[in-house]
């Protein structure tokens, strides 16, 4: 085979029919090769080459057009480049001409920014330290409303900001000027508020029951026309706010409290006198003095009225002073209504200085700040004033000086000290006060709640009329029981008054306590006089029953009623024994003394006196046993009863032993010297012993072991009676046993001792126990 043909065949065979290029070529071929003939196949190459040539011609035409466009673009670019060069030259020329202008504009812009910052700072300064026109108008308006108090708070804020600036040494000159203006506004505002508050207090609080409804709520619909009652409510509603604002001026605030106290005192006094003499409206309730014949009812009605009035007054005053947060120290107030107020505060490390000087003339304020030192000296003089202040590091000096003539004040303070010096001189006075480290002259114990202060001053008016009427009751000499019930009433209402004032000791409670002390004095005097009268003519007890006499019974009944009254009081359980002891111990001791005096005056036998004393003491004890707070007296009574029981048992035993025949023998046995046999002692021979023992046995057998004990039977207390009988029987048994042992003792040389006794000691004990 021809090699050329072989290569072609091999080349055809190597063609990959799935090739993408072959597929694309055949697809393109199908677009123009439609007829598969011999001629077409022969001309296929020429056809393809022709098409190839046409395509190249088309590419050439396209590139000619592209070349033409590029040439046009180049020409345009050259034009733009030329224009840009012209612009740059123009800009350079303009930049050279306007560079100075731009520099000036930049400087003006910077200056404008600074001016705006200064303007903003100035606006902030005025906003912080200056009142607006509306705020200034609110201080001078005819009516005082909420805007007035907002402006007053604003003045306080500005004043505090000024003090901060002074402390940080910033803007001192303008700050002093602003502070002077603000202080003037503040003084005028406080004076105006004080006068308004004073007038409103006189108008609103002089009536018996001021309107309290909605006092803590605002009156709505301010645009509507208010009725007289609503206007009064609105005024009452403003009082707590006004008093809250005035608390920053202690002296003005104190004067307002005094005004409230005076108005309420008049109302309370008139109401009390009316209740005493005329009663309520139309005579209901009836006048209190209509029950003057009944001391307990009379005093109880008066105290009940005062208690009810105290409750309503406390509610009223608490509502009016609900917004007040300070407490008052009546001994240290440095403000004056008719003068200017100067307050200089300088604070450094570990130092606090407050100097307030009020005068009717010129005011000079000098502030000197040294290293960690604050010296504030305010000197107001009509004549020559010399003030020398020497301060060390970390010192605080407070100097208040009011002088009409030449005054010289020297204050020397040590480290970390607070000194308050108040010097008021008409001539030449030198006062030096030195306080130790970290000491304050304002003692917290002297602080008082404004509510309690007003109540105390208001209710001072009831002291005299109530005390006079109680004295009249006491002069009528009521009984001991009535007097103590009056004491109990006073104690009850005193404690109720303390409950109303929430634990604070009020003047009402003090008045009740003072009257209670007077009643206690009368009570003790009545007890003393009563028992002195009874001891001068004591009642002799009856020898038949030996029970307490009528006088003693009456005293014990009074004691029972008194303790019952005491037990029904409001005294807390943990305080009852403390309150009980000083009042009742003396009364109980008086009864015991009366009992002893009656017993000794009766000239009764010792055993009868013991029985009488036991009956009286047990009667007293029976009264005290029901109460836990009488433990101390019960212990005393128990000891005395036991002592008298010992006497009774011993005497009753001795009496029975004498009746039973062995008493003389036991006496000989008790006093024998044990040096010689007992059988040789006179009266202790064997025959005498046998006769005595036989008599003892006969008495015991006849009574069937139950001995007659007439004195023990007279004991009124069954427990003591049973105990005394048992004790007597035990002593008789012991006495018999001792005699039995002595007879059987060989030292005493008795013949046939067993034949002497019919019963052994154990048998005797069994018989007596039975």
């Amino acid at each position: 085979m021809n090699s050329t043909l072989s290569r072609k065949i091999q080349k055809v065979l190597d063609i990959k029919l799935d090739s993408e290029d072959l597929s694309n070529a055949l697809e393109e071929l199908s677009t123009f090769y439609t007829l598969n003939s011999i001629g077409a196949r022969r001309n296929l190459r020429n056809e393809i080459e022709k098409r190839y040539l046409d395509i190249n011609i088309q590419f050439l035409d396209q590139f000619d057009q592209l070349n033409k466009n590029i040439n046009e673009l180049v020409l345009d670019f050259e034009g733009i480049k030329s224009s840009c060069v012209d612009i740059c030259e123009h800009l350079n020329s303009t930049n050279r001409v306007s560079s100075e202008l731009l520099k000036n504009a930049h400087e003006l812009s910077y200056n404008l920014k600074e001016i705006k910052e200064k303007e903003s700072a100035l606006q902030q300064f005025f906003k912080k330290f200056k009142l607006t026109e509306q705020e200034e108008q609110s201080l001078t308006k005819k009516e005082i409303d909420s805007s007035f108090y907002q402006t007053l708070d604003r003045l306080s804020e500005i004043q505090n900001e000024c003090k901060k600036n002074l402390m940080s040494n910033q803007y001192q000159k303008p700050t002093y000027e602003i502070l002077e203006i603000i202080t003037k506004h503040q003084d005028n505002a406080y004076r105006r508020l004080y006068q308004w508050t004073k007038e409103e207090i006189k108008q609103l609080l002089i009536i018996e029951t001021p309107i309290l409804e909605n006092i803590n709520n605002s009156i709505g619909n301010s645009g509507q026309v208010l009725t007289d009652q609503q206007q009064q409510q609105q005024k009452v509603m403003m009082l707590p706010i006004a008093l809250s604002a005035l608390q920053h001026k202690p002296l003005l605030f104190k004067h307002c409290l005094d005004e409230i106290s005076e108005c309420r005192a008049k109302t309370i006094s008139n109401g009390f006198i009316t209740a005493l003499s005329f009663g309520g409206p139309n005579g209901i309730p009836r006048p209190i003095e209509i029950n003057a014949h009944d001391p307990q009812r009379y005093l109880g009605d008066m105290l009940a009225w005062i208690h009810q009035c105290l409750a309503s007054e406390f509610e009223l005053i608490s509502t009016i002073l609900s917004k007040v947060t300070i407490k008052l120290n009546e001994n240290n107030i440095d403000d004056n209504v008719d003068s200017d107020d100067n307050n200089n505060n300088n604070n450094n490390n570990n130092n606090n200085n407050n100097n307030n000087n009020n005068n009717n003339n010129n005011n000079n304020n000098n502030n000197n700040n040294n290293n960690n030192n604050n010296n504030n000296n305010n000197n107001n003089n009509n004549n020559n004033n010399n003030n020398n202040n020497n301060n060390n590091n970390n010192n605080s000096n407070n100097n208040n000086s009011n002088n009409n003539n030449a005054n010289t004040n020297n204050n020397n303070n040590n480290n970390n000290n607070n000194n308050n010096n108040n010097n008021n001189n008409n001539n030449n006075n030198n006062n030096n006060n030195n306080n130790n480290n970290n000491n304050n002259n304002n003692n917290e114990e002297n602080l008082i709640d404004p509510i309690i202060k007003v109540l105390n001053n208001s209710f001072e008016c009831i002291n005299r009329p109530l005390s006079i009427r109680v004295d009249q009751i006491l002069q009528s000499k009521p009984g001991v029981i009535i007097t103590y019930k009056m004491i109990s009433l006073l104690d009850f209402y005193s404690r109720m008054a303390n409950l109303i004032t929430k634990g604070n000791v009020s003047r009402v409670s003090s008045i009740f306590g003072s009257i209670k002390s007077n009643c206690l004095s009368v009570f003790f005097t009545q007890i003393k006089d009563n028992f002195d009268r009874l001891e001068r003519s004591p009642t002799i007890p009856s020898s038949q029953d030996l029970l307490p006499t009528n006088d003693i019974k009456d005293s014990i009944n009074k004691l029972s009623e008194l303790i019952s009254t005491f037990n029904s009081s409001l005294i807390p359980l943990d305080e009852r024994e403390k309150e009980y002891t000083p009042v009742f111990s003396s009364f109980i001791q008086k009864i015991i003394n009366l009992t002893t005096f009656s017993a000794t005056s009766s000239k009764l036998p010792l055993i009868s006196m013991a029985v009488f004393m036991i009956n009286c003491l047990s009667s007293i004890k029976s009264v005290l046993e029901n109460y836990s707070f009488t433990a101390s007296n019960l212990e005393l009574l128990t000891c005395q009863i036991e002592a008298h029981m010992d006497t009774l048992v011993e005497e009753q035993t001795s009496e029975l032993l004498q009746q039973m025949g062995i008493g003389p023998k036991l006496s000989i046995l008790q006093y024998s010297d044990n040096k010689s046999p007992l059988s040789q002692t006179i009266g202790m021979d064997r025959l005498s012993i046998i006769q005595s023992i036989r008599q003892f046995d006969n008495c015991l057998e006849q009574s069937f072991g139950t001995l007659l004990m007439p004195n023990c039977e007279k004991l009124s207390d069954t427990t003591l009676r049973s105990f005394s009988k048992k004790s007597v029987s035990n002593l008789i048994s012991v006495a018999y046993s001792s005699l039995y042992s002595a007879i059987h003792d060989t030292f005493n040389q008795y013949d046939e001792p067993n034949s002497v006794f019919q019963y052994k000691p154990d048998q005797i004990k069994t018989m007596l126990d039975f």
Side-chain angles (χ1 to χ4, degrees):
M1 186 180 294
N2 191 356
S3 59
T4 301
L5 181 59
S6 297
R7 282 196 304 275
K8 290 182 178 180
I9 294 171
Q10 186 63 39
K11 185 177 180 180
V12 171
L13 293 175
D14 290 338
I15 293 172
K16 294 183 180 179
L17 298 178
D18 57 351
S19 172
E20 184 177 359
D21 293 337
L22 179 60
S23 299
N24 292 335
L26 292 175
E27 184 178 357
E28 181 64 27
L29 180 62
S30 65
T31 59
F32 63 88
Y33 185 76
T34 58
L35 183 61
N36 187 13
S37 62
I38 295 175
R41 284 196 296 272
R42 289 177 180 174
N43 294 325
L44 179 60
R45 180 183 289 276
N46 293 332
E47 186 69 25
I48 292 173
E49 289 176 354
K50 184 180 179 180
R51 289 182 64 85
Y52 181 71
L53 181 61
D54 294 337
I55 292 172
N56 287 333
I57 291 170
Q58 292 177 2
F59 268 108
L60 181 61
D61 294 339
Q62 294 292 330
F63 276 110
D64 287 340
Q65 184 66 31
L66 178 63
N67 186 33
K68 183 180 178 180
N69 293 336
I70 290 174
N71 289 332
E72 292 176 357
L73 183 62
V74 168
L75 291 175
D76 293 338
F77 175 75
E78 290 296 333
I80 293 172
K81 180 178 180 182
S82 176
S83 298
C84 289
V85 172
D86 293 340
I87 292 172
C88 288
E89 291 177 355
H90 181 72
L91 287 175
N92 291 331
S93 176
T94 305
N95 187 28
R96 286 192 300 272
V97 174
S98 61
S99 60
E100 188 68 23
L101 181 61
L102 292 174
K103 182 179 180 181
N104 293 336
H106 180 70
E107 290 178 356
L108 292 174
S109 177
Y110 181 75
N111 292 336
L112 179 62
K113 184 178 179 180
E114 287 185 346
I115 291 173
K116 288 183 178 180
E117 290 178 354
K118 290 180 180 179
E119 182 182 7
S120 177
L122 189 61
Q123 290 176 353
Q124 291 294 329
F125 184 83
F126 280 119
K127 184 178 180 181
K128 182 182 291 186
F129 293 99
K130 186 178 180 182
L131 294 177
T132 63
E133 293 182 2
Q134 293 80 2
E135 289 174 336
E136 290 182 356
Q137 290 176 0
S138 66
L139 293 177
T140 57
K141 284 194 307 185
K142 182 178 180 180
E143 294 294 333
I144 292 180
D145 52 13
S146 59
S147 62
F148 177 88
Y149 299 106
Q150 293 174 0
T151 305
L152 204 58
D153 293 337
R154 174 80 177 127
L155 289 172
S156 299
E157 293 176 1
I158 295 175
Q159 193 177 50
N160 293 332
E161 291 295 333
C162 290
K163 292 177 182 179
K164 290 180 181 178
N165 285 351
L166 291 176
M167 291 170 57
S168 59
N169 296 324
Q170 293 181 356
Y171 316 112
Q172 289 200 356
K173 184 176 180 180
T175 301
Y176 273 119
E177 295 175 355
I178 294 172
L179 185 60
E180 183 178 357
I181 296 172
I182 294 303
T183 302
K184 184 177 180 181
H185 282 308
Q186 197 176 42
D187 291 343
N188 293 333
Y190 275 120
R191 286 193 185 94
R192 182 164 176 253
L193 180 61
Y194 167 70
Q195 294 297 336
W196 180 88
T197 304
K198 188 175 179 181
E199 293 298 325
E200 294 303 320
I201 289 173
K202 289 181 179 179
Q203 293 179 9
L204 300 177
L205 298 185
I206 198 64
I207 59 177
E208 184 173 355
T209 307
I211 299 174
L212 292 179
E213 291 80 2
N214 302 324
I215 195 170
N216 292 321
N217 301 321
S218 61
I219 303 297
N221 301 323
S222 58
Q224 297 180 359
V225 178
L226 299 177
T227 63
D228 293 340
Q229 185 176 6
Q230 287 176 329
Q231 290 177 356
Q232 188 178 10
Q233 287 178 346
Q234 192 174 26
K235 290 180 179 179
V236 175
M237 177 199 67
M238 298 298 289
L239 272 181
I241 304 175
L243 292 170
S244 176
L246 284 172
Q247 68 181 331
H248 301 293
K249 293 291 182 180
L251 189 59
L252 298 179
F253 180 66
K254 180 178 178 294
H255 287 334
C256 289
L257 295 184
D258 292 342
E259 192 68 31
I260 295 173
S261 302
E262 182 179 354
C263 292
R264 298 314 299 165
K266 291 179 181 178
T267 304
I268 293 170
S269 177
N270 293 336
F272 188 47
I273 298 302
T274 300
L276 288 171
S277 303
F278 303 102
N282 300 322
I284 300 175
R286 296 189 302 173
I288 295 176
E289 289 186 341
I290 203 171
N291 296 314
H293 63 281
D294 184 354
Q296 185 178 352
R297 173 72 181 276
Y298 185 35
L299 178 63
D301 289 347
M302 289 191 292
L303 297 181
W305 188 94
I306 295 172
H307 170 263
Q308 183 179 2
C309 182
L310 176 64
S312 61
E313 287 297 314
F314 183 80
E315 181 184 2
L316 171 64
I317 303 304
S318 298
T319 305
I320 294 175
L321 301 179
S322 59
K323 298 183 181 297
V324 176
T325 58
I326 66 169
K327 290 188 176 182
L328 298 179
N329 186 348
E330 296 179 333
N331 298 326
N332 188 17
I333 296 178
D334 293 327
D335 290 304
N336 195 336
V337 178
D338 299 325
S339 63
D340 297 328
D341 299 334
N342 299 314
N343 300 320
N344 299 316
N345 300 321
N346 294 321
N347 297 321
N348 285 318
N349 292 335
N350 299 322
N351 293 319
N352 294 318
N353 298 321
N354 297 320
N355 299 316
N356 300 323
N357 298 311
N358 303 317
N359 300 295
N360 292 325
N361 298 310
N362 298 326
N363 297 322
N364 299 320
N365 301 322
N366 299 320
N367 299 317
N368 298 320
N369 298 319
N370 294 323
N371 183 23
N372 293 325
N373 291 322
N374 293 321
N375 300 322
N376 295 325
N377 303 317
N378 297 324
N379 304 316
N380 303 315
N381 305 306
N382 292 329
N383 297 314
N384 296 325
N385 297 321
N386 297 320
N387 299 319
N388 299 320
N389 299 315
N390 299 321
N391 300 311
N392 295 323
N393 289 336
N394 299 322
N395 289 335
S396 299
N397 298 327
N398 299 325
N399 303 319
N400 300 323
S401 305
N402 298 320
N403 305 311
N404 292 324
N405 296 316
N407 298 321
T408 299
N409 301 323
N410 298 320
N411 299 319
N412 298 320
N413 302 316
N414 294 322
N415 290 335
N416 298 321
N417 291 329
N418 296 322
N419 299 325
N420 296 322
N421 302 320
N422 298 323
N423 303 318
N424 298 317
N425 305 308
N426 291 325
N427 298 312
N428 295 326
N429 297 320
N430 296 321
N431 298 323
N432 297 320
N433 297 323
N434 297 319
N435 297 323
N436 292 325
N437 186 24
N438 295 325
N439 287 330
N440 293 321
N441 289 333
N442 293 329
N443 194 343
E444 291 184 358
E445 294 181 355
N446 294 329
L447 297 179
I448 183 172
D449 192 336
I451 298 174
I452 303 303
K453 174 181 171 58
V454 174
L455 285 177
N456 291 346
N457 294 338
S458 301
F459 278 89
E460 183 64 35
C461 61
I462 68 167
N463 185 13
R464 188 169 181 273
L466 180 63
S467 299
I468 290 175
R469 283 161 176 79
V470 173
D471 290 341
Q472 291 174 350
I473 294 174
L474 296 177
Q475 289 174 5
S476 65
K477 296 182 180 181
V480 174
I481 303 299
I482 298 298
T483 303
Y484 186 75
K485 286 184 177 180
M486 292 170 59
I487 295 171
S488 181
L489 277 174
L490 288 165
D491 181 80
F492 171 81
Y493 281 103
S494 176
R495 294 178 184 274
M496 291 298 294
N498 288 335
L499 290 178
I500 291 175
T501 56
K502 300 178 181 179
N504 296 305
V505 179
S506 64
R507 178 58 180 155
V508 174
S509 179
S510 301
I511 292 172
F512 290 169
S514 176
I515 298 175
K516 175 186 171 184
S517 299
N518 295 336
C519 292
L520 276 173
S521 300
V522 174
F523 174 74
F524 289 128
T525 302
Q526 288 177 335
I527 291 176
K528 182 178 181 301
D529 294 342
N530 184 39
F531 281 100
D532 288 345
R533 176 180 58 80
L534 293 177
E535 289 177 0
R536 283 194 297 270
S537 56
T539 305
I540 305 302
S542 172
S543 58
Q544 296 180 356
D545 52 15
L546 298 177
L547 292 176
T549 62
N550 293 331
D551 292 339
I552 296 175
K553 286 180 181 180
D554 182 60
S555 299
I556 294 174
N557 291 334
K558 290 181 179 178
L559 175 65
S560 176
E561 191 169 353
L562 290 175
I563 293 181
S564 176
T565 303
F566 176 83
N567 188 54
S568 62
S569 65
L570 280 184
I571 301 176
L573 295 178
D574 54 346
E575 298 181 10
R576 290 199 170 189
E577 186 171 358
K578 179 181 177 181
E579 296 289 335
Y580 159 85
T581 302
V583 177
F584 290 92
S585 294
S586 61
F587 190 84
I588 294 172
Q589 189 60 49
K590 290 285 186 181
I591 299 177
I592 295 174
N593 294 341
L594 177 62
T595 302
T596 305
F597 196 77
S598 297
T600 54
S601 300
S602 63
K603 298 180 181 181
L604 292 172
L606 182 60
I607 189 171
S608 298
M609 293 172 60
V611 173
F612 174 72
M613 289 297 298
I614 292 171
N615 287 335
C616 294
L617 294 177
S618 61
S619 298
I620 300 173
K621 184 179 178 182
S622 64
V623 173
L624 304 181
E625 284 177 338
N626 298 324
Y627 308 100
S628 59
F629 47 81
T630 60
S632 57
N633 293 123
L634 283 174
E635 184 178 357
L636 173 65
L637 291 171
T638 301
C639 293
Q640 293 186 1
I641 290 174
E642 289 176 354
H644 290 296
M645 284 291 291
D646 292 340
T647 302
L648 170 62
V649 170
E650 290 176 1
E651 292 298 324
Q652 185 68 75
T653 302
S654 176
E655 185 177 315
L656 288 176
L657 290 175
Q658 292 291 338
Q659 293 176 1
M660 299 174 75
I662 63 173
K665 310 303 179 187
L666 290 172
S667 299
I668 296 173
L669 177 63
Q670 181 178 1
Y671 294 105
S672 62
D673 54 5
N674 295 326
K675 293 181 179 179
S676 59
L678 194 61
S679 58
Q680 299 177 3
T681 303
I682 298 174
M684 291 297 290
D685 57 280
R686 187 173 186 279
L687 181 60
S688 297
I689 292 296
I690 292 174
Q691 290 177 352
S692 298
I693 294 300
R694 292 294 178 268
Q695 183 180 353
F696 178 83
D697 293 341
N698 291 332
C699 291
L700 194 61
E701 289 171 356
Q702 290 175 2
S703 62
F704 299 99
T706 303
L707 300 176
L708 296 177
M709 305 177 187
N711 290 293
C712 293
E713 292 291 343
K714 294 178 181 180
L715 293 177
S716 59
D717 191 294
T718 55
T719 303
L720 294 177
R721 187 191 311 144
S722 175
F723 177 78
S724 62
K725 289 181 178 181
K726 186 175 181 180
S727 298
V728 170
S729 298
N730 289 336
L731 286 180
I732 293 174
S733 175
V734 170
Y736 183 85
S737 178
S738 63
L739 182 61
Y740 184 89
S741 299
I743 299 302
H744 281 77
D745 189 354
T746 56
F747 175 77
N748 291 323
Q749 299 179 2
Y750 282 101
D751 298 334
E752 298 180 0
N754 290 329
S755 62
V756 175
F757 295 94
Q758 183 179 356
Y759 301 105
K760 295 181 179 181
D762 293 340
Q763 293 174 325
I764 295 297
K765 186 174 185 305
T766 302
M767 293 172 66
L768 291 173
D769 290 342
F770 177 77

